[in-house]
């Protein structure tokens, strides 16, 4: 019987520590300047670090979720690949997985999928397990988003920290919505793929390299598509208790170079 070798790496704890540092800076800076052109650099730096480090942390947990469910479902190779170490370096290609998604995040606030784990789906016991392997990633983002919104609602905190956590929570919901779409190359498609016909799976395999790029182009280039996406994100964010105003302040602070 296989046992999971979940041993969080020092890299994971380092990113977690950086996230905490960002939160502390956001909490102890002068939040009265948040909506002015003369924002306190301490708050701006805090929100920026909190969001970036928090996003990388959530990317780690997203991919770990895929790997952990795959391990429990029969793919024991994920342990030898380092996927159970929560080390983001095992989940990423430096350019495609970190640089490019961060560039898009900095440009428009859309948190593109950034990591990848290679699962031996032939080793998975059932089609249901294969679907849950795909769903584990986006569901982890949804859970993180819900936890953050609950914390913001229930725990009194300084405005700067509240704004940063609210925007980070919104990004988690956006990541969930984006990844859950049934588009080849995204987790939503991976969840239904085991139940598709061989012909449909063959088409999906051919579309996988370019389908997400078409989706991202539509999100950026077609206002109606982008608006529909963010309307759905806002609806879910509000449904779980998200604070739209605080998230907007957090986004404004995060994108400090725009004003």
């Amino acid at each position: 019987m296989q046992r999971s070798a979940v041993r969080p790496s020092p890299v994971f704890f380092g990113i977690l520590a950086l996230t905490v540092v960002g939160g502390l800076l956001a909490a102890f800076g002068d939040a009265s300047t948040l909506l002015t052109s003369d924002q306190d650099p301490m708050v701006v730096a805090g929100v920026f670090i909190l969001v970036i480090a928090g996003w990388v942390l959530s990317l780690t947990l997203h991919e770990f979720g895929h790997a952990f469910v795959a391990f429990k479902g029969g793919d024991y190779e994920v342990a030898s690949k380092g996927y159970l170490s929560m080390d983001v370096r095992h989940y990423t290609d430096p350019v495609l997985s970190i640089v490019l998604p961060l560039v898009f995040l900095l440009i428009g606030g859309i948190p593109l999928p950034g990591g990848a784990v290679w699962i031996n789906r032939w080793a998975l016991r059932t089609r249901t397990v294969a679907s849950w392997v795909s769903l584990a990633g986006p569901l982890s983002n949804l859970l993180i988003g819900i936890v953050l919104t609950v914390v913001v609602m229930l725990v009194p905190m300084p405005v700067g920290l509240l704004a940063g956590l609210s925007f980070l929570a919104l990004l988690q919901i956006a990541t969930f919505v984006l990844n859950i779409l049934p588009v080849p190359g995204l987790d939503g498609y991976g969840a239904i793929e085991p139940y598709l016909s061989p012909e449909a799976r063959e088409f999906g395999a051919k579309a996988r390299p370019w389908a997400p790029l078409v989706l991202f182009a539509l999100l950026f280039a077609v206002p109606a598509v982008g608006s529909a996406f963010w309307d759905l994100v806002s609806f879910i964010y509000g449904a779980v208790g998200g604070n739209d105003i605080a998230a907007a302040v957090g986004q404004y602070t995060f994108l400090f170079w725009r004003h």
Side-chain angles (χ1 to χ4, degrees):
M1 182 177 178
Q2 294 284 341
R3 294 187 305 168
S4 60
V6 179
R7 297 186 181 90
S9 71
V11 173
F12 174 81
F13 289 113
I15 297 171
L16 178 61
L18 188 61
T19 305
V20 172
V21 168
L24 291 173
L25 291 174
F28 290 103
D30 184 4
S32 66
T33 64
L34 275 179
L35 295 180
T36 70
S37 58
D38 189 27
Q39 292 179 312
D40 180 9
M42 185 172 173
V43 176
V44 172
V47 169
F48 187 83
I49 294 171
L50 171 64
V51 172
I52 292 294
W55 179 82
V56 176
L57 197 67
S58 70
L59 166 64
T60 301
L61 295 175
H62 176 115
E63 301 303 336
F64 171 78
H66 288 312
F68 184 77
V69 175
F71 184 91
K72 292 296 186 180
D75 181 9
Y76 303 122
E77 295 177 9
V78 298
S80 62
K81 294 174 182 175
Y83 293 162
L84 299 181
S85 67
M86 295 187 184
D87 188 335
V88 70
R89 296 173 298 180
H90 291 296
Y91 308 138
T92 60
D93 170 88
V95 175
L96 296 179
S97 301
I98 296 180
V99 176
L100 189 60
L102 284 179
V103 167
F104 277 103
L105 180 62
L106 295 174
I107 290 175
I110 295 180
L112 302 181
V117 293
W118 299 101
I119 304 298
N120 180 8
R121 294 188 176 271
W122 294 105
L124 301 177
R125 297 190 183 98
T126 65
R127 291 186 297 178
T128 301
V129 169
S131 292
W132 279 110
V133 168
S134 293
L135 291 172
L139 287 177
S140 71
N141 292 114
L142 178 62
L143 178 60
I144 294 170
I146 292 173
V147 168
L148 290 177
T149 56
V150 170
V151 169
V152 167
M153 282 192 297
L154 300 181
V155 179
M157 63 183 67
V159 174
L161 179 59
L162 183 146
L165 289 178
S166 296
F167 181 49
L168 182 57
L170 178 66
L171 291 179
Q172 297 304 310
I173 302 300
T175 301
F176 164 75
V177 172
L178 185 63
N179 276 276
I180 208 69
L181 295 176
V183 174
L186 300 182
D187 293 327
Y189 178 81
I192 64 174
E193 186 178 24
Y195 299 95
L196 298 178
S197 67
E199 294 78 15
R201 291 200 299 269
E202 181 179 358
F203 173 78
K206 293 178 180 178
R208 186 174 288 112
W210 53 265
L213 298 178
V214 173
L215 173 63
F216 301 150
L218 291 174
L219 287 170
F220 278 103
V222 181
V225 175
S227 295
F229 171 79
W230 283 111
D231 286 346
L232 179 57
V233 171
S234 296
F235 173 79
I236 297 175
Y237 181 62
V240 300
N243 187 324
D244 288 331
I245 296 177
V249 173
Q251 182 180 35
Y252 178 84
T253 306
F254 176 76
L255 300 173
F256 62 91
W257 59 91
R258 290 188 173 186
H259 45 81

